[in-house]
Amino acid sequence: EVQLVESGGGLVQPGGSLRLSCAASGFTFSTYWMTWVRQAPGKGLEWVANIKQDGSEKYYVDSVKGRFTISRDNAKNSVYLQMSSLRAEDTAVYYCAREHCGGGSCYSPAYGMDVWGQGTTVRVSS
Amino acid sequence: SYVLTQPPSVSVAPGQTASITCGGNNIGSESVHWYQQKPGQAPVVVVYEETGRPSGIPERFSGSKSGNTATLSISRVEAGDEADYYCQLWDTSSDHAVFGGGTKLTVL
């Protein structure tokens, strides 16, 4: 079964740090771009960051640039999101997602997110 | 930054067709994807690359695009289709993914 399982969420004080993990199974992890998406309470979906198969390309939404770092370990079939200098507005459910390969090609993250984890909750509060 | 505009809400009677729009400048040059999210659940892709339908998604779900607007159509709407729907694309000019604000579909 194709599956993504996030972990690492929790309550953290403003200015603190947290590392989210996403463990993949049931597919060849190293073949796919991977993405983090978040959803603040009662709000819509917001793309956070993504990473290419070999980690050579990484992109971030402007609001987290310089504070969050996405990485992956293909040997462990895992993708991570290191979050620092956390703010109240970072409070959200964080989802890990796999980027679909369009037409058999996986060279771009432009083909939609076809597998999602169940999410992990991050709450930033004093 | 790129903005995708969706109506906040759409209402439809059971058995009718729901149409949810997604507008954006130059949307015609990018692939648009659609996600369904039910309360307390993770999103699920229902249409990718405008018209593609993942396995397991009913044929009642279809996508189209014309000019600067993409549309998700749900025919023969059922109570179980009640959910939030989001459009999304990859903006190649900024290397950012963008989501629309979401549309709450209510089945009357």
Side-chain angles (χ1 to χ4, degrees):
Chain A
E1 180 191 5
V2 174
Q3 197 172 12
L4 297 171
V5 179
E6 302 95 335
S7 60
L11 174 63
V12 61
Q13 292 188 339
S17 298
L18 212 54
R19 188 196 195 208
L20 306 184
S21 299
C22 171
S25 59
F27 64 96
T28 306
F29 179 75
S30 60
T31 301
Y32 295 88
W33 281 78
M34 296 298 296
T35 288
W36 286 96
V37 174
R38 67 184 178 183
Q39 186 169 36
K43 302 297 184 181
L45 301 174
E46 181 184 36
W47 171 76
V48 176
N50 63 9
I51 184 168
K52 194 176 179 179
Q53 290 89 337
D54 61 359
S56 62
E57 294 182 38
K58 305 174 185 181
Y59 301 105
Y60 301 89
V61 68
D62 292 349
S63 60
V64 309
K65 217 171 281 186
R67 300 188 299 123
F68 290 12
T69 301
I70 189 171
S71 62
R72 65 190 294 161
D73 185 337
N74 288 341
K76 295 183 178 180
N77 292 336
S78 294
V79 61
Y80 309 98
L81 188 67
Q82 177 68 48
M83 305 184 295
S84 61
S85 302
L86 283 161
R87 307 166 180 167
E89 54 265 34
D90 296 318
T91 293
V93 175
Y94 284 73
Y95 295 101
C96 167
R98 185 183 81 172
E99 295 281 357
H100 176 65
C101 292
S105 171
C106 307
Y107 74 92
S108 164
Y111 302 111
M113 303 165 199
D114 64 352
V115 180
W116 294 67
Q118 85 290 349
T120 187
T121 300
V122 173
R123 184 172 171 225
V124 184
S125 175
S126 55
Chain B
S1 60
Y2 202 103
V3 176
L4 292 175
T5 302
Q6 298 181 236
S9 62
V10 167
S11 298
V12 63
Q16 299 303 303
T17 297
S19 295
I20 300 173
T21 58
C22 174
N25 288 337
N26 206 30
I27 200 174
S29 64
E30 310 287 6
S31 289
V32 178
H33 323 293
W34 291 93
Y35 304 88
Q36 176 194 69
Q37 187 181 34
K38 296 181 178 180
Q41 298 184 19
V44 173
V45 63
V46 293
V47 169
Y48 58 85
E49 298 178 76
E50 274 90 48
T51 59
R53 194 171 47 249
S55 60
I57 301 300
E59 292 184 5
R60 301 185 296 104
F61 289 81
S62 63
S64 62
K65 189 167 67 176
S66 178
N68 287 333
T69 301
T71 301
L72 173 69
S73 298
I74 309 171
S75 61
R76 302 183 301 280
V77 166
E78 304 171 355
D81 298 331
E82 197 162 271
D84 293 325
Y85 291 85
Y86 296 88
C87 59
Q88 179 259 322
L89 57 74
W90 177 254
D91 178 20
T92 53
S93 65
S94 65
D95 286 327
H96 279 44
V98 181
F99 284 95
T103 298
K104 181 176 180 59
L105 176 66
T106 299
V107 181
L108 300 171

